[in-house]
Amino acid sequence: MKKMIVSLMLVISMFAFAAESAPSATVGYVKYSNVVTAGTDLNAVAVAVQNSWTMSNNIDPTSQYFTSIQKWNPVTQVYANSYFSLGSWKNTFAIGTGDALLVNAKVANDLIVNGTVVTVPAYNLITTAGTDLNAIMLPLSKGALSTTALLGADIGSSTYCSSIQKWNSATQVYANSYFSLGSWKNVFDTYIADALMINMTNAKTWPVGGGKDEDVVGADWNEETDAPKAGLSRPIAVLLNDNL
């Protein structure tokens, strides 16, 4: 399989094990290359694998690269916003595997999210009295859903899902694909670990079930001991958690 190198890169490896023993956990990483612009410098990232991050301030403890971290609340239809001020993070919130986030970058950087590949918990996609937006990450097991049309159909076009949006960090606006007159318009490519906004017309739990680690699409497999490699990161800013 080919490595996926777009705005992110996923590398999965397995540690060596004897034929009679059980394999160790599948580990890997996703790299989000974040940019700064003349605008708000917001970048969409996600907690793609299971690691030691449990709170928003774990991502960049000293605010070396980010000034704020935001997480969408589908009930209130607003972002929870944690920001760094006077030497510490304020308004911190819990994060977990599969969470889609917006980060405000101070400098261009590569955020490397590494850890154990697990099945992402299902999203309880809801409707509200407002815009009905829900933030998701395209699970690593859903690589076959490579366009908004395929993803929308999987969630349930029209009946459940009316639009899919993806943040463009260069233009600082969302690309918007929507279902109209029986088909998806403004279709764009989607990739595993993408942070996306879904507009729901009816509540639904998605996905039902989930792929196993070995079902990941777009991964490089190795049968010898091989910890995830850092890839081609910008030297000015590389974030690594200490889970591995």
Side-chain angles (χ1 to χ4, degrees), residues 201-229:
T201 53
N202 287 289
K204 183 177 185 178
T205 298
W206 179 90
V208 177
K212 299 177 182 178
D213 290 348
E214 58 265 29
D215 293 334
V216 173
V217 176
D220 255 5
W221 292 97
N222 297 291
E223 294 182 352
E224 59 187 42
T225 302
D226 186 14
K229 296 181 174 61

Side-chain angles (χ1 to χ4, degrees), residues 95-116:
I95 59 174
T97 310
D99 277 350
L101 307 168
L102 282 178
V103 293
N104 199 322
K106 296 168 67 174
V107 293
N109 66 82
D110 290 327
L111 175 61
I112 297 177
V113 187
N114 61 9
T116 305

Side-chain angles (χ1 to χ4, degrees), residues 130-195:
T131 57
D132 307 321
L133 289 172
N134 294 256
I136 69 166
M137 180 197 79
L138 186 61
L140 305 188
S141 59
K142 294 294 183 180
L145 304 179
S146 57
T147 68
T148 51
L150 293 171
L151 174 57
D154 196 75
I155 297 174
S157 301
S158 184
T159 302
Y160 293 102
C161 179
S162 61
S163 74
I164 300 169
Q165 301 178 38
K166 182 177 178 179
W167 182 253
N168 185 320
S169 56
T171 62
Q172 294 288 291
V173 297
Y174 277 102
N176 183 42
S177 180
Y178 59 94
F179 191 84
S180 177
L181 301 175
S183 65
W184 281 88
K185 307 300 191 291
N186 297 340
V187 174
F188 54 79
D189 291 339
T190 53
Y191 303 91
I192 52 176
D194 270 354

Side-chain angles (χ1 to χ4, degrees), residues 56-124:
S56 54
N57 58 302
N58 297 150
I59 296 175
D60 185 15
T62 61
S63 185
Q64 194 171 357
Y65 307 108
F66 304 121
T67 59
S68 73
I69 298 168
Q70 301 178 41
K71 180 180 176 180
W72 182 253
N73 186 327
V75 175
T76 61
Q77 293 287 290
V78 296
Y79 278 101
N81 182 39
S82 180
Y83 58 95
F84 195 85
S85 177
L86 300 175
S88 65
W89 284 93
K90 308 300 190 291
N91 300 338
T92 57
F93 50 79
I95 59 174
T97 310
D99 277 350
L101 307 168
L102 282 178
V103 293
N104 199 322
K106 296 168 67 174
V107 293
N109 66 82
D110 290 327
L111 175 61
I112 297 177
V113 187
N114 61 9
T116 305
V117 178
V118 297
T119 299
V120 173
Y123 296 97
N124 293 317

Side-chain angles (χ1 to χ4, degrees), residues 11-16 24-29 114-115 220 222-231 243-244:
V11 177
I12 304 299
S13 63
M14 292 187 70
F15 290 106
S24 60
T26 304
V27 295
Y29 73 88
N114 61 9
D220 255 5
N222 297 291
E223 294 182 352
E224 59 187 42
T225 302
D226 186 14
K229 296 181 174 61
N243 190 63
L244 298 176

